[in-house]
Amino acid sequence: DGNALLQELNYLVDHSVIKSGEYQLPDALRRLTEKGTVFRPGEVQEWLDCGNKEVTVETNSRVLEFDLEDGKTMVGQNLRINNSLIIPPCFIGDNVTINHSIVGPHVSLGNGSVVEHSNIKNSLIQANTQIKNAVLSASMLGSNVRINGAVKDLSLGDYSEWNG
C-alpha cells in the first residue's frame, strides 16, 4: 500500500541511499519486494497524453468526463458567480469569481481565478489568472496570467499578459 512505499522512501532519505546523485524509486520498490510485497500490473484502459498543448487540453477534457461519470463534485469553495453559466463538466477551484460569463464545457479553472465578460470552453487555466472580455477555446494558460481581449486559441505560461 502507499504507506509501505512512503516508509521505504523515508528510509532512503533517512539513510542517504543515493545513486548517481539521486534517491532512486527502484531502491524503495526492491526493499518492498524483499519484504514480501507482491506487485501486480494494473490495467490501462486509456492512454492520456500531456506532451503538448493540444493533447493536454484533450486529456483535461477526458479527465473531466471521467469525474462527471463518477458523480464527483468539481466546484470548489467560495465560488462567486454573477449572471453567468457553468456548463459541465468543469472543474472550478476555490475562491473563483465568474461575472457575466459562460464557462464550459470541459474547462478547468484554477484557485483564485477571475473571469469577466468572457466565454471559455475546452480550456485548462491555472491559479490566480484573470480573464476579461475574451473568447477562449482549446487554450492552456498558466498561473497569474492576465488577459484582456478576444482571442480563440491561446497558450500562455505563468505571469504572461495578453491584451488583444
Side-chain angles (χ1 to χ4, degrees), residues 3-147:
N3 288 329
L5 178 59
L6 179 61
Q7 288 176 357
E8 294 307 324
L9 293 171
N10 283 333
Y11 175 88
L12 297 180
V13 172
D14 292 345
H15 293 89
S16 299
V17 180
I18 298 173
K19 292 181 183 168
S20 301
E22 303 178 329
Y23 298 104
Q24 301 288 323
L25 180 59
D27 290 336
L29 298 175
R30 180 183 41 76
R31 287 179 51 81
L32 285 170
T33 57
E34 289 171 355
K35 292 179 178 180
T37 301
V38 176
F39 293 94
R40 291 181 181 82
E43 181 181 335
V44 177
Q45 296 176 351
E46 184 174 358
W47 183 261
L48 301 173
D49 196 2
C50 292
N52 61 46
K53 179 183 76 78
E54 287 75 21
V55 296
T56 302
V57 169
E58 177 61 25
T59 293
N60 181 64
S61 294
R62 293 294 300 136
V63 169
L64 290 172
E65 288 288 339
F66 291 142
D67 287 345
L68 183 64
E69 290 169 10
D70 291 342
K72 292 182 181 174
T73 301
M74 295 180 286
V75 176
Q77 299 177 12
N78 302 317
L79 171 63
R80 293 170 300 280
I81 185 167
N82 178 38
N83 196 28
S84 297
L85 175 64
I86 298 173
I87 304 170
C90 288
F91 168 82
I92 308 295
D94 294 336
N95 301 308
V96 169
T97 300
I98 303 173
N99 291 317
H100 306 285
S101 298
I102 299 172
V103 174
H106 303 111
V107 172
S108 287
L109 190 55
N111 295 342
S113 292
V114 176
V115 178
E116 295 181 345
H117 301 282
S118 296
N119 186 341
I120 305 170
K121 64 181 180 179
N122 196 34
S123 295
L124 178 58
I125 299 159
Q126 299 298 323
N128 302 310
T129 290
Q130 294 182 8
I131 301 167
K132 297 179 182 179
N133 308 310
V135 176
L136 297 177
S137 179
S139 295
M140 189 165 72
L141 307 177
S143 295
N144 302 292
V145 171
R146 304 291 177 259
I147 293 177

